[in-house]
Amino acid sequence: MHSTLDPAGPAARSIAALWCAMLAGGALIFALVMVLLLLSFTRRAPAGGEARQLRVWVIGLGLVFPLAVLGALLAYGLVIGERLLAREEPEVIRVSAEARRWTWRFTYEDAPGRRTEGVLHIPAGRPVDVAITTADVIHSFWVPRLAGKLDAIPGHVNTLRIEADRPGTYRGLSAEFSGAGYGGFTFLVSAHDAAGWAAFVEDTER
């Protein structure tokens, strides 16, 4: 399941809240436009009231109201964006993700020498910084229920913070057109409880 409206982590919840806020703001502006359109056909302006009509309908509702809504959405979006930035924290787990057609290869700071393909292992309930790059063309790393999307760019490393509230398996995909076959370019994120993560880190045979 890839629904961004079914978040399973703090970053995804923030993105879902921003989506709902933008939908509500857009609906308010759309409703106002529809009301103004309807009134233009059904209501006749009183004689001598052009100045008042200009202040109320054009300046007040036509300019001030949309600008206020859009300004509030911009401010809220900046707050959410700041909250999503990867910051130094003692509990952060660090992994690396390298894309190539058509698989993701993951390595783990806590388990040097460990590499998995197609499945990213993380601990549940702890923030994870994913250092994203690619060995060939531009791809994108996206786990809709855990965080936003970030591009993998050749010769560059982008860092995305993800976190799962609880143990489970979450589906990820590359939403960047990167050649024939990209539609099936998917991967899994396996979030472990504390015991499962410790076992994964300590199991050198995996």
Side-chain angles (χ1 to χ4, degrees):
M1 182 169 151
H2 290 130
S3 177
T4 58
L5 299 182
D6 184 24
R13 272 195 301 276
S14 295
I15 293 170
L18 178 60
W19 184 90
C20 291
M22 293 180 68
L23 177 63
L28 282 174
I29 294 175
F30 179 78
L32 173 63
V33 171
M34 292 299 102
V35 169
L36 293 177
L37 180 63
L38 180 62
L39 290 176
S40 69
F41 288 104
T42 61
R43 184 176 179 181
R44 186 172 298 174
E50 289 84 359
R52 182 177 180 276
Q53 295 293 318
L54 177 65
R55 289 195 303 272
V56 173
W57 299 106
V58 177
I59 298 176
L61 296 178
L63 292 176
V64 175
F65 178 77
L67 287 175
V69 172
L70 294 175
L73 290 175
L74 174 61
Y76 184 57
L78 292 175
V79 170
I80 293 295
E82 180 73 13
R83 191 181 302 168
L84 295 176
L85 293 176
R87 301 185 181 281
E88 289 293 331
E89 295 180 21
E91 292 296 311
V92 172
I93 298 294
R94 291 177 176 81
V95 302
S96 297
E98 182 187 65
R100 61 182 65 225
R101 292 180 290 191
W102 301 106
T103 188
W104 286 92
R105 294 180 179 176
F106 302 105
T107 55
Y108 305 84
E109 186 178 273
D110 286 2
R114 179 75 50 79
R115 186 179 76 179
T116 59
E117 291 198 10
V119 181
L120 170 62
H121 296 267
I122 65 172
R126 293 180 64 182
V128 178
D129 283 352
V130 185
I132 302 165
T133 189
T134 174
D136 40 48
V137 299
I138 295 176
H139 300 285
S140 66
F141 182 94
W142 189 28
V143 189
R145 296 190 63 203
L146 299 184
K149 182 181 73 170
L150 195 61
D151 282 343
I153 300 173
H156 185 74
V157 176
N158 289 323
T159 301
L160 177 69
R161 175 159 296 177
I162 66 174
E163 183 177 342
D165 289 331
R166 61 187 65 86
T169 300
Y170 305 91
R171 296 179 63 187
L173 70 157
S174 176
E176 183 78 30
F177 177 73
S178 48
Y182 88 101
F185 190 17
T186 62
F187 61 97
L188 297 176
V189 176
S190 179
H192 302 275
D193 59 17
W197 176 248
F200 171 79
V201 169
E202 294 168 5
D203 185 1
T204 57
E205 296 182 358
R206 232 186 244 209

